[in-house]
């Protein structure tokens, strides 16, 4: 452990030497976790990355292996937002407690909710990437049904137990309070996601509209692009998995050119050449693919959501998710107006480069310091030399 002395007047803010971080293999959580772990490594903080939700791809495993000091621990436990996950959530909790006992982190960083209620020795920081209840309300325009009451209760319990709660936008932090109750003074923090600008860069632009994301997710609003695509002068190309966890699929319509799932280098190639990026989303607490498109210099056409306006300000055009005419008008305008299209792409890139991994890590270290100062890790049990360790791990 490598924390500074808290008792010395004028001492620096406490900093963890090692963080136990959970992550999953679904969507952007993995991407954010890897960017953050690399930036933390450069700041002298080691990460133990505990993976749930499914197997990692060879490329993802290689990305983790390239981070100095990172230890990757994999599992296949179902995630709390998946169907009927609770036996796996309980088993994963036991696994995480055993892992904490083995690796002895200074802080536990949870990219999920339920496990924050576990009796970790170290302070815990919860990161709210999204949640089922706010997703449901945004997509279906009504509260989630009764079958999600257990999920609601478990998430609320985790949020109450957290020493700090982070969200990638103030809009997401507000949505949490609306669904689960106020977080309490000083416990909520906004830290935008980040991407290394070297991974996504502009190339000479070509005449097509691009979109990316989980095609099976109703929040991505693929149907809106399907409606307008036949009436545009440019093709609309989409990239992303069309099979949800559990095997349920949602294929892109014939009006779209679907690439299916693509790896990061191929995604970056398409984005670098796309003149326009479209994401008429119904729900997007931040929008990782939009950040990648903006770094690539695409002109952005986005769903008119408080979270996206918060992140992108005047660097995008916004359209209501249910207004196909407005979506068509915005895309058609940019197709026809090269000067406006290029100006928006430049604005988007200037805005995007602000969301750097280094800045993200610096802000996380600030939040970690708050959590460590408020609740230092509990002392470890010291067993008499003649006594066996009750946990099976050698005692200090």
């Amino acid at each position: 452990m490598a924390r500074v002395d808290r008792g010395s007047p004028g001492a620096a803010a406490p900093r963890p030497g090692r963080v136990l971080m959970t992550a999953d293999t679904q969507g952007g959580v993995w991407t954010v976790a890897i960017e953050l772990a690399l930036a933390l490594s450069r700041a002298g903080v080691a990460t133990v990355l505990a993976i749930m939700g499914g197997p990692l791809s060879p490329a993802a495993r290689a990305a983790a292996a390239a981070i100095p000091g990172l230890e990757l621990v994999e599992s296949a436990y179902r995630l709390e937002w998946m169907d009927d996950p609770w036996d796996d959530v309980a088993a994963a909790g036991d696994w995480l407690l055993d892992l904490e006992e083995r690796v002895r982190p200074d802080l536990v960083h949870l990219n999920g909710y339920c496990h924050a209620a576990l009796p970790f020795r170290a302070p815990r920081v919860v990161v709210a990437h999204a949640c089922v209840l706010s997703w449901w309300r945004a997509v279906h325009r009504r509260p989630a049904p009764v079958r999600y009451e257990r999920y609601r209760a478990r998430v609320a319990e985790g949020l109450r137990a957290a020493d700090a709660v982070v969200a990638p936008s103030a809009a997401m932090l507000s949505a949490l309070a609306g669904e689960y109750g106020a977080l309490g003074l000083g416990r909520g923090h906004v830290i935008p996601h980040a991407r290394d600008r070297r991974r996504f860069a502009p190339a000479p632009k070509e005449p097509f509209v691009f979109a990316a994301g989980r095609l099976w997710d109703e929040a991505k609003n693929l149907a809106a692009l399907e409606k307008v695509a036949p009436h545009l002068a440019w093709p609309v190309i989409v990239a992303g998995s069309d099979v949800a966890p559990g095997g349920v699929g949602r294929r892109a319509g014939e009006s779209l050119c679907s690439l299916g799932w693509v790896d990061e280098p191929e995604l970056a190639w398409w984005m670098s050449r796309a003149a326009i990026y479209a994401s008429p989303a119904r729900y997007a607490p931040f929008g990782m693919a939009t950040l990648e498109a903006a770094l690539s210099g695409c002109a952005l056409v986005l769903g008119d959501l408080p979270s996206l306006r918060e992140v992108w300000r005047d660097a995008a055009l916004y359209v209501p998710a249910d207004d196909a005419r407005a979506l068509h008008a915005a895309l058609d305008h940019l197709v026809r107006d090269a000067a406006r299209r290029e100006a928006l792409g430049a604005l988007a890139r200037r805005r995007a480069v602000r969301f750097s991994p280094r800045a993200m890590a610096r802000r996380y270290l600030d939040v970690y310091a708050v959590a460590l100062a408020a609740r230092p890790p509990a002392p470890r049990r010291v067993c008499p030399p003649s006594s066996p360790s009750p946990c099976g791990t050698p005692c200090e």
Side-chain angles (χ1 to χ4, degrees):
M1 297 186 187
R3 291 186 304 278
V4 301
D5 179 13
R6 292 181 179 79
S8 304
R15 172 177 290 200
R18 180 181 297 149
V19 171
L20 171 58
M21 183 187 300
T22 64
D24 65 65
T25 58
Q26 306 294 323
V29 174
W30 168 258
T31 302
V32 176
I34 283 294
E35 290 282 15
L36 179 57
L38 178 57
L40 289 175
S41 173
R42 290 168 175 165
V45 179
T47 301
V48 178
L49 199 54
I51 303 301
M52 296 173 276
L56 285 174
S57 68
R61 195 170 286 109
I67 298 176
L70 184 139
E71 178 183 350
L72 187 65
V73 188
E74 298 183 57
S75 78
Y77 296 116
R78 294 175 67 79
L79 304 171
E80 59 201 26
W81 56 265
M82 293 177 172
D83 291 336
D84 193 24
W86 301 114
D87 287 347
D88 272 28
V89 169
D94 293 337
W95 173 67
L96 288 172
L97 289 173
D98 289 344
L99 191 55
E100 187 202 27
E101 184 63 33
R102 178 176 72 80
V103 304
R104 304 182 181 184
D106 301 307
L107 182 133
V108 178
H109 173 131
L110 296 154
N111 285 303
Y113 302 102
C114 298
H115 293 130
L118 294 171
F120 288 113
R121 180 187 58 85
R124 64 212 81 174
V125 172
V126 164
V127 182
H129 295 268
C131 84
V132 171
L133 301 191
S134 58
W135 176 95
W136 190 281
R137 189 180 298 275
V139 170
H140 298 289
R141 303 291 195 265
R142 62 181 185 274
V146 145
R147 69 176 182 270
Y148 290 110
E149 281 305 308
R150 185 174 183 181
Y151 174 90
R152 182 193 300 275
R154 294 292 300 275
V155 171
E157 182 183 24
L159 289 170
R160 287 193 300 269
D163 296 287
V165 177
V166 173
S169 61
M172 184 61 207
L173 209 59
S174 177
L176 284 182
E179 298 291 353
Y180 307 102
L183 297 175
L185 186 64
R187 292 180 60 239
H189 308 266
V190 175
I191 303 179
H193 295 331
R195 272 309 239 156
D196 186 336
R197 70 175 73 181
R198 294 169 295 183
R199 298 179 186 274
F200 292 86
K205 294 301 185 181
E206 299 178 18
F208 64 89
V209 178
F210 192 70
R214 297 176 295 196
L215 305 186
W216 50 266
D217 185 349
E218 294 173 79
K220 305 302 180 190
N221 200 16
L222 184 67
L225 283 174
E226 289 172 342
K227 286 181 182 178
V228 305
H231 309 290
L232 294 172
W234 289 2
V236 179
I237 300 173
V238 298
S241 173
D242 56 11
V243 180
V248 178
R250 198 280 189 210
R251 295 189 179 279
E254 292 183 359
S255 64
L256 305 177
C257 176
S258 178
L259 304 174
W261 180 87
V262 298
D263 61 16
E264 183 179 300
E266 186 174 355
L267 179 66
W269 187 91
W270 283 102
M271 285 185 168
S272 71
R273 287 157 176 78
I276 302 170
Y277 179 81
S279 178
R282 300 178 184 277
Y283 178 74
F286 182 82
M288 202 63 175
T290 302
L291 174 57
E292 293 164 347
L295 286 170
S296 304
C298 302
L300 305 179
V301 177
L302 308 177
D304 194 358
L305 302 175
S307 55
L308 295 180
R309 283 190 176 272
E310 174 188 339
V311 173
W312 296 108
R313 300 183 183 176
D314 62 349
L317 299 183
Y318 301 94
V319 296
D322 295 320
D323 193 337
R325 288 186 178 181
L327 176 60
H328 176 267
L331 292 172
D332 186 61
H333 168 65
L334 291 180
V335 166
R336 296 172 184 274
D337 190 338
R340 176 65 169 145
R341 185 174 68 241
E342 291 167 8
L344 264 183
L347 273 175
R349 180 162 172 80
R350 282 202 296 272
R351 179 75 179 154
V353 296
R354 298 185 180 190
F355 303 117
S356 71
R358 182 179 179 184
M360 176 174 66
R362 191 162 55 240
R363 295 177 73 172
Y364 268 104
L365 287 171
D366 289 343
V367 172
Y368 293 168
V370 171
L372 285 163
R375 191 174 72 89
R380 306 185 65 79
R381 177 174 178 175
V382 178
C383 303
S386 60
S387 300
S389 167
C391 62
T393 302
C395 292
E396 295 178 333

